[in-house]
Amino acid sequence: MSELASSATRTGAPGGPAGTPGEPPNVTGHTVASRSPGPPARDGRGNRRDLREAPFLAAARGQRPARTPVWFMRQAGRSLPEYRELRKQTSSMLAACREPELVCEITLQPVRRHKVDAAVLYSDIVVPLAAAGVGVEIVPGTGPVVASPIRDAAAVAALPALHPEAVEPVAQAVRLLVGELGDTPLIGFAGAPFTVASYLVEGGPSRNHERTKALMYSDPDTWHALLGHLAEMTLTFLRAQLAAGVDAVQLFDSWAGALSERDYRRFVLPHSAAVLAGLADAGVPRIHFGVGTGELLGAMASAGADMVGVDWRVPLDEAVRRIGPDKAVQGNLDPAVLFAGWPAVEGEVRRILAEGRAAPGHVFNLGHGVLPETDPDVLTRIVELVHTL
């Protein structure tokens, strides 16, 4: 899913539209070094500096770099003691997410500690909703809770649009990171339309997605109008990150595994495909990931991403058979294995690396996010092992 809970209210833009540096917000009291949010280093075509040889980007494009690259979903945040210490200085996660310098520092922490091959922007899938003015709160122990759930055509028609200037704090954080990361690529991300819609319709997290499915089946026109609106919002959010300098993007469809393949193709695939197609001209790798989506891998691959993330339920060589031989894969160590002791962890890492050779490119990752109680030293050892092997 996400890296951090987002702001529950619309944030003011400290600068102009995405890509235009603004004044940094006041983060007095945080032990975060002051950084200039100047524009990222770019080549003559206006792109970020040339990182094509970075192992992560090469593998994401279906190439075989000298070493298998590795990063971890949710690598920034709650499993790190330095993150927990820094968070003591902020009033809430929501406040942290509105501060570009703090987002920059938290994003950098796992890169320094683990020496991973990519950083992932510290943010959340509900950030664009909050920035657009939708009432959403992150309730500790629960997750995103929507003040007024969206369950009919009138509510869909009343949804606000997202304007790039509303996510300027995110763009500013990206610009800061571009200046700090050196030759380490930065991954931007967003929630896929279906997963974001499920929060909007249910009003919060759901085990069965009964209200979501009821709307899909009973009123397909309203459903497609909702996902079409969210696809536009997602594109705006990702384009703002791209304009600020991210090197790749990942589209999270965390709850798509609740659907049959037939329903996925009918109700979800066109909208995820619209997002990924809308990013095709950016020239960066596009990653598509879902949880519990083993039966959907072929359909998800057809949405148009360059690399498909695979959770731990399907071996990577079997996933390649379902996805097709022309796409890279990402994954897929079970996060729970990290608690089993190093011999078990090492054995699983070796198995996954062997299975990943079936794909034209493989990025080692977990099959979902790092669990909060994970020993970060185990993650560091995994990075070292993958790089050695």
Side-chain angles (χ1 to χ4, degrees), residues 59 64-71 117 315-317 320 329-333 342 345-365 381-389:
R64 293 197 178 274
R67 68 169 188 258
T68 300
V70 54
W71 70 280
D117 292 289
L316 285 183
D317 49 1
V320 170
V329 296
Q330 179 175 276
N332 66 341
L333 180 65
W342 181 249
V345 172
E346 180 178 0
E348 288 297 285
V349 169
R350 289 177 178 273
R351 174 185 63 80
I352 290 165
L353 287 172
E355 293 168 354
R357 296 192 186 103
H362 174 213
V363 173
F364 189 94
N365 206 314
R381 290 186 71 181
I382 289 174
V383 175
E384 293 170 350
L385 176 63
V386 172
H387 285 172
T388 299
L389 295 176

mmCIF file of all heavy atoms in Angstrom, residues 59 64-71 117 315-317 320 329-333 342 345-365 381-389:
data_model
loop_
_atom_site.group_PDB
_atom_site.id
_atom_site.type_symbol
_atom_site.label_atom_id
_atom_site.label_comp_id
_atom_site.label_asym_id
_atom_site.label_seq_id
_atom_site.Cartn_x
_atom_site.Cartn_y
_atom_site.Cartn_z
ATOM 1 N N ALA A 59 16.768 -2.821 -14.562
ATOM 2 C CA ALA A 59 15.946 -4.012 -14.361
ATOM 3 C C ALA A 59 14.479 -3.728 -14.636
ATOM 4 O O ALA A 59 13.773 -4.566 -15.218
ATOM 5 C CB ALA A 59 16.131 -4.533 -12.939
ATOM 6 N N ARG A 64 19.263 -6.729 -17.624
ATOM 7 C CA ARG A 64 19.929 -7.447 -16.546
ATOM 8 C C ARG A 64 21.174 -6.674 -16.115
ATOM 9 O O ARG A 64 22.237 -6.813 -16.735
ATOM 10 C CB ARG A 64 20.301 -8.864 -16.980
ATOM 11 C CG ARG A 64 19.072 -9.735 -17.226
ATOM 12 C CD ARG A 64 19.436 -11.199 -17.249
ATOM 13 N NE ARG A 64 18.245 -12.029 -17.426
ATOM 14 C CZ ARG A 64 17.482 -12.437 -16.435
ATOM 15 N NH1 ARG A 64 17.775 -12.088 -15.199
ATOM 16 N NH2 ARG A 64 16.416 -13.189 -16.666
ATOM 17 N N PRO A 65 21.057 -5.870 -15.070
ATOM 18 C CA PRO A 65 22.220 -5.130 -14.596
ATOM 19 C C PRO A 65 23.235 -6.053 -13.930
ATOM 20 O O PRO A 65 22.978 -7.255 -13.727
ATOM 21 C CB PRO A 65 21.611 -4.145 -13.581
ATOM 22 C CG PRO A 65 20.358 -4.815 -13.111
ATOM 23 C CD PRO A 65 19.843 -5.605 -14.281
ATOM 24 N N ALA A 66 24.368 -5.492 -13.552
ATOM 25 C CA ALA A 66 25.443 -6.303 -12.970
ATOM 26 C C ALA A 66 25.014 -6.946 -11.658
ATOM 27 O O ALA A 66 25.531 -8.012 -11.293
ATOM 28 C CB ALA A 66 26.682 -5.435 -12.749
ATOM 29 N N ARG A 67 24.102 -6.324 -10.931
ATOM 30 C CA ARG A 67 23.579 -6.918 -9.704
ATOM 31 C C ARG A 67 22.069 -6.758 -9.689
ATOM 32 O O ARG A 67 21.529 -5.835 -10.301
ATOM 33 C CB ARG A 67 24.186 -6.269 -8.460
ATOM 34 C CG ARG A 67 23.761 -4.810 -8.247
ATOM 35 C CD ARG A 67 24.185 -4.322 -6.859
ATOM 36 N NE ARG A 67 23.628 -3.009 -6.557
ATOM 37 C CZ ARG A 67 24.298 -1.862 -6.627
ATOM 38 N NH1 ARG A 67 25.555 -1.864 -7.031
ATOM 39 N NH2 ARG A 67 23.715 -0.718 -6.306
ATOM 40 N N THR A 68 21.385 -7.676 -9.007
ATOM 41 C CA THR A 68 19.940 -7.553 -8.859
ATOM 42 C C THR A 68 19.640 -6.395 -7.914
ATOM 43 O O THR A 68 20.133 -6.387 -6.782
ATOM 44 C CB THR A 68 19.333 -8.846 -8.302
ATOM 45 O OG1 THR A 68 19.620 -9.922 -9.201
ATOM 46 C CG2 THR A 68 17.828 -8.713 -8.138
ATOM 47 N N PRO A 69 18.862 -5.423 -8.339
ATOM 48 C CA PRO A 69 18.539 -4.298 -7.452
ATOM 49 C C PRO A 69 17.487 -4.691 -6.428
ATOM 50 O O PRO A 69 16.694 -5.630 -6.637
ATOM 51 C CB PRO A 69 17.999 -3.238 -8.409
ATOM 52 C CG PRO A 69 17.450 -4.029 -9.554
ATOM 53 C CD PRO A 69 18.294 -5.265 -9.681
ATOM 54 N N VAL A 70 17.459 -3.972 -5.318
ATOM 55 C CA VAL A 70 16.527 -4.280 -4.246
ATOM 56 C C VAL A 70 16.062 -2.998 -3.568
ATOM 57 O O VAL A 70 16.843 -2.071 -3.370
ATOM 58 C CB VAL A 70 17.160 -5.247 -3.214
ATOM 59 C CG1 VAL A 70 18.479 -4.705 -2.694
ATOM 60 C CG2 VAL A 70 16.221 -5.529 -2.063
ATOM 61 N N TRP A 71 14.771 -2.921 -3.300
ATOM 62 C CA TRP A 71 14.208 -1.936 -2.382
ATOM 63 C C TRP A 71 13.018 -2.603 -1.718
ATOM 64 O O TRP A 71 12.639 -3.717 -2.089
ATOM 65 C CB TRP A 71 13.818 -0.628 -3.091
ATOM 66 C CG TRP A 71 12.635 -0.701 -4.021
ATOM 67 C CD1 TRP A 71 12.623 -1.176 -5.307
ATOM 68 C CD2 TRP A 71 11.291 -0.268 -3.755
ATOM 69 N NE1 TRP A 71 11.364 -1.077 -5.851
ATOM 70 C CE2 TRP A 71 10.528 -0.527 -4.926
ATOM 71 C CE3 TRP A 71 10.652 0.305 -2.653
ATOM 72 C CZ2 TRP A 71 9.156 -0.232 -5.005
ATOM 73 C CZ3 TRP A 71 9.300 0.612 -2.739
ATOM 74 C CH2 TRP A 71 8.569 0.344 -3.901
ATOM 75 N N ASP A 117 18.612 0.173 -3.611
ATOM 76 C CA ASP A 117 18.883 0.682 -4.956
ATOM 77 C C ASP A 117 17.871 1.712 -5.434
ATOM 78 O O ASP A 117 18.001 2.217 -6.556
ATOM 79 C CB ASP A 117 18.922 -0.481 -5.943
ATOM 80 C CG ASP A 117 20.123 -1.382 -5.698
ATOM 81 O OD1 ASP A 117 21.250 -0.951 -5.991
ATOM 82 O OD2 ASP A 117 19.930 -2.503 -5.191
ATOM 83 N N PRO A 315 4.868 -17.952 -6.929
ATOM 84 C CA PRO A 315 6.303 -17.942 -7.247
ATOM 85 C C PRO A 315 6.576 -17.078 -8.476
ATOM 86 O O PRO A 315 5.758 -17.022 -9.408
ATOM 87 C CB PRO A 315 6.625 -19.412 -7.509
ATOM 88 C CG PRO A 315 5.528 -20.176 -6.827
ATOM 89 C CD PRO A 315 4.306 -19.312 -6.914
ATOM 90 N N LEU A 316 7.723 -16.437 -8.496
ATOM 91 C CA LEU A 316 8.004 -15.499 -9.579
ATOM 92 C C LEU A 316 8.057 -16.177 -10.940
ATOM 93 O O LEU A 316 7.639 -15.590 -11.944
ATOM 94 C CB LEU A 316 9.318 -14.751 -9.318
ATOM 95 C CG LEU A 316 9.279 -13.657 -8.257
ATOM 96 C CD1 LEU A 316 10.638 -12.967 -8.166
ATOM 97 C CD2 LEU A 316 8.181 -12.625 -8.559
ATOM 98 N N ASP A 317 8.569 -17.413 -11.026
ATOM 99 C CA ASP A 317 8.609 -18.052 -12.341
ATOM 100 C C ASP A 317 7.199 -18.347 -12.854
ATOM 101 O O ASP A 317 6.917 -18.208 -14.049
ATOM 102 C CB ASP A 317 9.478 -19.306 -12.327
ATOM 103 C CG ASP A 317 9.172 -20.253 -11.175
ATOM 104 O OD1 ASP A 317 8.260 -19.957 -10.369
ATOM 105 O OD2 ASP A 317 9.847 -21.302 -11.076
ATOM 106 N N VAL A 320 5.747 -15.010 -13.999
ATOM 107 C CA VAL A 320 6.227 -14.650 -15.340
ATOM 108 C C VAL A 320 5.396 -15.366 -16.401
ATOM 109 O O VAL A 320 5.053 -14.783 -17.437
ATOM 110 C CB VAL A 320 7.722 -14.986 -15.487
ATOM 111 C CG1 VAL A 320 8.172 -14.839 -16.939
ATOM 112 C CG2 VAL A 320 8.556 -14.091 -14.575
ATOM 113 N N VAL A 329 9.603 -8.128 -13.491
ATOM 114 C CA VAL A 329 8.815 -8.414 -12.306
ATOM 115 C C VAL A 329 9.511 -7.852 -11.074
ATOM 116 O O VAL A 329 10.733 -7.655 -11.062
ATOM 117 C CB VAL A 329 8.568 -9.931 -12.115
ATOM 118 C CG1 VAL A 329 7.733 -10.497 -13.256
ATOM 119 C CG2 VAL A 329 9.880 -10.696 -11.953
ATOM 120 N N GLN A 330 8.709 -7.634 -10.039
ATOM 121 C CA GLN A 330 9.214 -7.116 -8.776
ATOM 122 C C GLN A 330 8.649 -7.967 -7.641
ATOM 123 O O GLN A 330 7.468 -8.288 -7.625
ATOM 124 C CB GLN A 330 8.780 -5.663 -8.592
ATOM 125 C CG GLN A 330 9.239 -5.027 -7.276
ATOM 126 C CD GLN A 330 8.881 -3.561 -7.210
ATOM 127 O OE1 GLN A 330 9.609 -2.722 -7.720
ATOM 128 N NE2 GLN A 330 7.754 -3.237 -6.601
ATOM 129 N N GLY A 331 9.486 -8.332 -6.691
ATOM 130 C CA GLY A 331 9.027 -9.090 -5.537
ATOM 131 C C GLY A 331 10.041 -10.154 -5.145
ATOM 132 O O GLY A 331 11.170 -10.148 -5.620
ATOM 133 N N ASN A 332 9.609 -11.130 -4.320
ATOM 134 C CA ASN A 332 8.296 -11.180 -3.696
ATOM 135 C C ASN A 332 8.370 -11.935 -2.371
ATOM 136 O O ASN A 332 7.591 -12.837 -2.092
ATOM 137 C CB ASN A 332 7.255 -11.796 -4.626
ATOM 138 C CG ASN A 332 7.493 -13.268 -4.937
ATOM 139 O OD1 ASN A 332 8.608 -13.786 -4.769
ATOM 140 N ND2 ASN A 332 6.460 -13.948 -5.379
ATOM 141 N N LEU A 333 9.338 -11.563 -1.511
ATOM 142 C CA LEU A 333 9.531 -12.207 -0.214
ATOM 143 C C LEU A 333 8.383 -11.875 0.726
ATOM 144 O O LEU A 333 7.994 -10.719 0.872
ATOM 145 C CB LEU A 333 10.856 -11.739 0.400
ATOM 146 C CG LEU A 333 11.229 -12.314 1.763
ATOM 147 C CD1 LEU A 333 11.476 -13.816 1.663
ATOM 148 C CD2 LEU A 333 12.474 -11.607 2.310
ATOM 149 N N TRP A 342 17.661 -15.773 10.411
ATOM 150 C CA TRP A 342 18.423 -15.543 9.196
ATOM 151 C C TRP A 342 18.530 -16.764 8.279
ATOM 152 O O TRP A 342 18.416 -16.617 7.056
ATOM 153 C CB TRP A 342 19.821 -15.008 9.513
ATOM 154 C CG TRP A 342 20.585 -14.743 8.256
ATOM 155 C CD1 TRP A 342 21.664 -15.407 7.772
ATOM 156 C CD2 TRP A 342 20.261 -13.743 7.270
ATOM 157 N NE1 TRP A 342 22.056 -14.887 6.554
ATOM 158 C CE2 TRP A 342 21.212 -13.868 6.222
ATOM 159 C CE3 TRP A 342 19.280 -12.769 7.175
ATOM 160 C CZ2 TRP A 342 21.195 -13.041 5.092
ATOM 161 C CZ3 TRP A 342 19.270 -11.942 6.048
ATOM 162 C CH2 TRP A 342 20.214 -12.081 5.026
ATOM 163 N N VAL A 345 15.463 -16.768 6.225
ATOM 164 C CA VAL A 345 15.430 -15.598 5.345
ATOM 165 C C VAL A 345 16.364 -15.810 4.164
ATOM 166 O O VAL A 345 15.989 -15.596 3.001
ATOM 167 C CB VAL A 345 15.820 -14.325 6.125
ATOM 168 C CG1 VAL A 345 15.989 -13.143 5.163
ATOM 169 C CG2 VAL A 345 14.777 -13.997 7.182
ATOM 170 N N GLU A 346 17.588 -16.261 4.442
ATOM 171 C CA GLU A 346 18.559 -16.449 3.361
ATOM 172 C C GLU A 346 18.069 -17.475 2.349
ATOM 173 O O GLU A 346 18.206 -17.283 1.129
ATOM 174 C CB GLU A 346 19.909 -16.878 3.931
ATOM 175 C CG GLU A 346 20.962 -17.082 2.839
ATOM 176 C CD GLU A 346 22.318 -17.453 3.394
ATOM 177 O OE1 GLU A 346 22.472 -17.551 4.626
ATOM 178 O OE2 GLU A 346 23.238 -17.653 2.573
ATOM 179 N N GLY A 347 17.492 -18.565 2.838
ATOM 180 C CA GLY A 347 16.992 -19.574 1.927
ATOM 181 C C GLY A 347 15.899 -19.047 1.013
ATOM 182 O O GLY A 347 15.884 -19.344 -0.193
ATOM 183 N N GLU A 348 14.986 -18.241 1.566
ATOM 184 C CA GLU A 348 13.917 -17.678 0.759
ATOM 185 C C GLU A 348 14.451 -16.649 -0.240
ATOM 186 O O GLU A 348 13.983 -16.571 -1.377
ATOM 187 C CB GLU A 348 12.856 -17.050 1.663
ATOM 188 C CG GLU A 348 12.014 -18.063 2.410
ATOM 189 C CD GLU A 348 11.214 -18.917 1.438
ATOM 190 O OE1 GLU A 348 10.209 -18.414 0.891
ATOM 191 O OE2 GLU A 348 11.609 -20.078 1.212
ATOM 192 N N VAL A 349 15.417 -15.860 0.176
ATOM 193 C CA VAL A 349 16.002 -14.880 -0.745
ATOM 194 C C VAL A 349 16.644 -15.585 -1.934
ATOM 195 O O VAL A 349 16.446 -15.194 -3.099
ATOM 196 C CB VAL A 349 17.034 -13.993 -0.013
ATOM 197 C CG1 VAL A 349 17.838 -13.156 -1.020
ATOM 198 C CG2 VAL A 349 16.343 -13.073 0.986
ATOM 199 N N ARG A 350 17.390 -16.638 -1.662
ATOM 200 C CA ARG A 350 18.047 -17.379 -2.747
ATOM 201 C C ARG A 350 17.014 -18.006 -3.688
ATOM 202 O O ARG A 350 17.188 -17.996 -4.913
ATOM 203 C CB ARG A 350 18.963 -18.451 -2.171
ATOM 204 C CG ARG A 350 20.216 -17.883 -1.492
ATOM 205 C CD ARG A 350 21.059 -18.983 -0.869
ATOM 206 N NE ARG A 350 22.274 -18.459 -0.261
ATOM 207 C CZ ARG A 350 23.429 -18.265 -0.897
ATOM 208 N NH1 ARG A 350 23.524 -18.576 -2.198
ATOM 209 N NH2 ARG A 350 24.475 -17.782 -0.279
ATOM 210 N N ARG A 351 15.953 -18.556 -3.112
ATOM 211 C CA ARG A 351 14.907 -19.151 -3.955
ATOM 212 C C ARG A 351 14.282 -18.105 -4.864
ATOM 213 O O ARG A 351 14.099 -18.335 -6.077
ATOM 214 C CB ARG A 351 13.828 -19.775 -3.070
ATOM 215 C CG ARG A 351 12.622 -20.306 -3.860
ATOM 216 C CD ARG A 351 11.524 -20.802 -2.944
ATOM 217 N NE ARG A 351 10.956 -19.750 -2.116
ATOM 218 C CZ ARG A 351 10.047 -18.871 -2.528
ATOM 219 N NH1 ARG A 351 9.609 -18.884 -3.787
ATOM 220 N NH2 ARG A 351 9.571 -17.963 -1.699
ATOM 221 N N ILE A 352 13.943 -16.945 -4.313
ATOM 222 C CA ILE A 352 13.271 -15.901 -5.089
ATOM 223 C C ILE A 352 14.187 -15.367 -6.188
ATOM 224 O O ILE A 352 13.750 -15.120 -7.315
ATOM 225 C CB ILE A 352 12.786 -14.786 -4.147
ATOM 226 C CG1 ILE A 352 11.625 -15.309 -3.296
ATOM 227 C CG2 ILE A 352 12.376 -13.539 -4.923
ATOM 228 C CD1 ILE A 352 11.295 -14.445 -2.106
ATOM 229 N N LEU A 353 15.461 -15.210 -5.878
ATOM 230 C CA LEU A 353 16.388 -14.753 -6.908
ATOM 231 C C LEU A 353 16.476 -15.757 -8.048
ATOM 232 O O LEU A 353 16.546 -15.375 -9.225
ATOM 233 C CB LEU A 353 17.767 -14.513 -6.297
ATOM 234 C CG LEU A 353 17.897 -13.273 -5.416
ATOM 235 C CD1 LEU A 353 19.254 -13.259 -4.711
ATOM 236 C CD2 LEU A 353 17.732 -12.002 -6.232
ATOM 237 N N ALA A 354 16.466 -17.033 -7.717
ATOM 238 C CA ALA A 354 16.512 -18.053 -8.767
ATOM 239 C C ALA A 354 15.247 -18.010 -9.613
ATOM 240 O O ALA A 354 15.308 -18.092 -10.852
ATOM 241 C CB ALA A 354 16.698 -19.432 -8.137
ATOM 242 N N GLU A 355 14.099 -17.902 -8.982
ATOM 243 C CA GLU A 355 12.842 -17.842 -9.727
ATOM 244 C C GLU A 355 12.739 -16.567 -10.560
ATOM 245 O O GLU A 355 12.144 -16.574 -11.645
ATOM 246 C CB GLU A 355 11.666 -17.930 -8.757
ATOM 247 C CG GLU A 355 11.548 -19.281 -8.076
ATOM 248 C CD GLU A 355 10.566 -19.289 -6.917
ATOM 249 O OE1 GLU A 355 10.049 -18.206 -6.565
ATOM 250 O OE2 GLU A 355 10.317 -20.369 -6.362
ATOM 251 N N GLY A 356 13.318 -15.478 -10.074
ATOM 252 C CA GLY A 356 13.256 -14.210 -10.789
ATOM 253 C C GLY A 356 14.021 -14.210 -12.092
ATOM 254 O O GLY A 356 13.790 -13.355 -12.954
ATOM 255 N N ARG A 357 14.915 -15.197 -12.268
ATOM 256 C CA ARG A 357 15.684 -15.258 -13.523
ATOM 257 C C ARG A 357 14.813 -15.611 -14.710
ATOM 258 O O ARG A 357 15.233 -15.478 -15.864
ATOM 259 C CB ARG A 357 16.824 -16.269 -13.385
ATOM 260 C CG ARG A 357 17.861 -15.874 -12.341
ATOM 261 C CD ARG A 357 19.116 -16.735 -12.426
ATOM 262 N NE ARG A 357 20.018 -16.432 -11.320
ATOM 263 C CZ ARG A 357 20.186 -17.184 -10.232
ATOM 264 N NH1 ARG A 357 19.504 -18.331 -10.145
ATOM 265 N NH2 ARG A 357 21.007 -16.853 -9.286
ATOM 266 N N ALA A 358 13.585 -16.041 -14.451
ATOM 267 C CA ALA A 358 12.670 -16.352 -15.555
ATOM 268 C C ALA A 358 12.197 -15.094 -16.266
ATOM 269 O O ALA A 358 11.708 -15.168 -17.399
ATOM 270 C CB ALA A 358 11.457 -17.134 -15.026
ATOM 271 N N ALA A 359 12.328 -13.943 -15.620
ATOM 272 C CA ALA A 359 11.876 -12.676 -16.191
ATOM 273 C C ALA A 359 13.035 -11.960 -16.880
ATOM 274 O O ALA A 359 14.196 -12.170 -16.536
ATOM 275 C CB ALA A 359 11.297 -11.777 -15.095
ATOM 276 N N PRO A 360 12.725 -11.081 -17.836
ATOM 277 C CA PRO A 360 13.810 -10.322 -18.473
ATOM 278 C C PRO A 360 14.502 -9.367 -17.515
ATOM 279 O O PRO A 360 15.657 -9.022 -17.715
ATOM 280 C CB PRO A 360 13.090 -9.559 -19.591
ATOM 281 C CG PRO A 360 11.656 -9.521 -19.184
ATOM 282 C CD PRO A 360 11.411 -10.783 -18.425
ATOM 283 N N GLY A 361 13.815 -8.924 -16.479
ATOM 284 C CA GLY A 361 14.383 -8.070 -15.455
ATOM 285 C C GLY A 361 13.695 -8.352 -14.140
ATOM 286 O O GLY A 361 12.492 -8.616 -14.106
ATOM 287 N N HIS A 362 14.444 -8.314 -13.038
ATOM 288 C CA HIS A 362 13.883 -8.616 -11.727
ATOM 289 C C HIS A 362 14.401 -7.606 -10.709
ATOM 290 O O HIS A 362 15.608 -7.400 -10.581
ATOM 291 C CB HIS A 362 14.272 -10.031 -11.285
ATOM 292 C CG HIS A 362 13.852 -10.365 -9.884
ATOM 293 N ND1 HIS A 362 14.585 -11.195 -9.047
ATOM 294 C CD2 HIS A 362 12.765 -9.971 -9.149
ATOM 295 C CE1 HIS A 362 13.970 -11.299 -7.880
ATOM 296 N NE2 HIS A 362 12.872 -10.569 -7.914
ATOM 297 N N VAL A 363 13.482 -6.985 -9.997
ATOM 298 C CA VAL A 363 13.806 -6.123 -8.863
ATOM 299 C C VAL A 363 13.375 -6.859 -7.604
ATOM 300 O O VAL A 363 12.191 -7.175 -7.436
ATOM 301 C CB VAL A 363 13.084 -4.763 -8.950
ATOM 302 C CG1 VAL A 363 13.301 -3.958 -7.675
ATOM 303 C CG2 VAL A 363 13.584 -3.981 -10.163
ATOM 304 N N PHE A 364 14.313 -7.152 -6.725
ATOM 305 C CA PHE A 364 13.975 -7.855 -5.489
ATOM 306 C C PHE A 364 13.235 -6.910 -4.553
ATOM 307 O O PHE A 364 13.621 -5.753 -4.367
ATOM 308 C CB PHE A 364 15.234 -8.385 -4.805
ATOM 309 C CG PHE A 364 14.942 -9.306 -3.646
ATOM 310 C CD1 PHE A 364 14.896 -10.672 -3.835
ATOM 311 C CD2 PHE A 364 14.680 -8.799 -2.380
ATOM 312 C CE1 PHE A 364 14.601 -11.531 -2.779
ATOM 313 C CE2 PHE A 364 14.383 -9.642 -1.326
ATOM 314 C CZ PHE A 364 14.346 -11.013 -1.517
ATOM 315 N N ASN A 365 12.163 -7.421 -3.944
ATOM 316 C CA ASN A 365 11.350 -6.636 -3.020
ATOM 317 C C ASN A 365 10.589 -7.615 -2.149
ATOM 318 O O ASN A 365 10.691 -8.833 -2.321
ATOM 319 C CB ASN A 365 10.386 -5.726 -3.795
ATOM 320 C CG ASN A 365 9.983 -4.479 -3.026
ATOM 321 O OD1 ASN A 365 9.636 -4.549 -1.841
ATOM 322 N ND2 ASN A 365 10.027 -3.331 -3.686
ATOM 323 N N ARG A 381 20.803 -6.782 5.900
ATOM 324 C CA ARG A 381 21.482 -8.022 5.509
ATOM 325 C C ARG A 381 20.922 -8.573 4.200
ATOM 326 O O ARG A 381 21.677 -9.133 3.389
ATOM 327 C CB ARG A 381 21.350 -9.066 6.623
ATOM 328 C CG ARG A 381 22.133 -8.749 7.870
ATOM 329 C CD ARG A 381 22.074 -9.902 8.872
ATOM 330 N NE ARG A 381 22.850 -11.056 8.406
ATOM 331 C CZ ARG A 381 22.961 -12.209 9.086
ATOM 332 N NH1 ARG A 381 22.287 -12.358 10.229
ATOM 333 N NH2 ARG A 381 23.675 -13.215 8.605
ATOM 334 N N ILE A 382 19.633 -8.419 3.973
ATOM 335 C CA ILE A 382 19.046 -8.873 2.715
ATOM 336 C C ILE A 382 19.637 -8.106 1.549
ATOM 337 O O ILE A 382 19.973 -8.686 0.498
ATOM 338 C CB ILE A 382 17.505 -8.734 2.750
ATOM 339 C CG1 ILE A 382 16.913 -9.770 3.696
ATOM 340 C CG2 ILE A 382 16.925 -8.890 1.353
ATOM 341 C CD1 ILE A 382 15.406 -9.602 3.908
ATOM 342 N N VAL A 383 19.749 -6.797 1.682
ATOM 343 C CA VAL A 383 20.337 -5.986 0.616
ATOM 344 C C VAL A 383 21.745 -6.472 0.314
ATOM 345 O O VAL A 383 22.127 -6.662 -0.855
ATOM 346 C CB VAL A 383 20.333 -4.497 0.992
ATOM 347 C CG1 VAL A 383 21.069 -3.675 -0.080
ATOM 348 C CG2 VAL A 383 18.911 -3.982 1.154
ATOM 349 N N GLU A 384 22.534 -6.686 1.352
ATOM 350 C CA GLU A 384 23.914 -7.147 1.155
ATOM 351 C C GLU A 384 23.935 -8.509 0.460
ATOM 352 O O GLU A 384 24.750 -8.742 -0.448
ATOM 353 C CB GLU A 384 24.617 -7.226 2.503
ATOM 354 C CG GLU A 384 24.829 -5.868 3.159
ATOM 355 C CD GLU A 384 25.315 -5.981 4.594
ATOM 356 O OE1 GLU A 384 25.304 -7.119 5.146
ATOM 357 O OE2 GLU A 384 25.703 -4.954 5.186
ATOM 358 N N LEU A 385 23.037 -9.400 0.870
ATOM 359 C CA LEU A 385 23.002 -10.733 0.265
ATOM 360 C C LEU A 385 22.600 -10.671 -1.196
ATOM 361 O O LEU A 385 23.244 -11.288 -2.053
ATOM 362 C CB LEU A 385 22.029 -11.619 1.042
ATOM 363 C CG LEU A 385 21.798 -13.028 0.472
ATOM 364 C CD1 LEU A 385 23.097 -13.831 0.482
ATOM 365 C CD2 LEU A 385 20.715 -13.750 1.272
ATOM 366 N N VAL A 386 21.552 -9.925 -1.501
ATOM 367 C CA VAL A 386 21.102 -9.821 -2.891
ATOM 368 C C VAL A 386 22.205 -9.231 -3.764
ATOM 369 O O VAL A 386 22.452 -9.706 -4.876
ATOM 370 C CB VAL A 386 19.819 -8.976 -2.967
ATOM 371 C CG1 VAL A 386 19.444 -8.679 -4.419
ATOM 372 C CG2 VAL A 386 18.655 -9.686 -2.275
ATOM 373 N N HIS A 387 22.858 -8.211 -3.281
ATOM 374 C CA HIS A 387 23.924 -7.598 -4.066
ATOM 375 C C HIS A 387 25.097 -8.562 -4.271
ATOM 376 O O HIS A 387 25.725 -8.571 -5.342
ATOM 377 C CB HIS A 387 24.418 -6.333 -3.375
ATOM 378 C CG HIS A 387 23.474 -5.173 -3.502
ATOM 379 N ND1 HIS A 387 23.635 -3.980 -2.822
ATOM 380 C CD2 HIS A 387 22.345 -5.026 -4.244
ATOM 381 C CE1 HIS A 387 22.658 -3.155 -3.134
ATOM 382 N NE2 HIS A 387 21.865 -3.773 -3.996
ATOM 383 N N THR A 388 25.361 -9.389 -3.278
ATOM 384 C CA THR A 388 26.450 -10.363 -3.403
ATOM 385 C C THR A 388 26.095 -11.465 -4.395
ATOM 386 O O THR A 388 26.916 -11.876 -5.221
ATOM 387 C CB THR A 388 26.756 -10.997 -2.031
ATOM 388 O OG1 THR A 388 27.155 -9.973 -1.122
ATOM 389 C CG2 THR A 388 27.869 -12.023 -2.145
ATOM 390 N N LEU A 389 24.842 -11.931 -4.331
ATOM 391 C CA LEU A 389 24.439 -13.038 -5.197
ATOM 392 C C LEU A 389 24.235 -12.580 -6.624
ATOM 393 O O LEU A 389 24.287 -13.407 -7.536
ATOM 394 C CB LEU A 389 23.150 -13.665 -4.651
ATOM 395 C CG LEU A 389 23.272 -14.336 -3.286
ATOM 396 C CD1 LEU A 389 21.913 -14.837 -2.807
ATOM 397 C CD2 LEU A 389 24.258 -15.500 -3.350
#
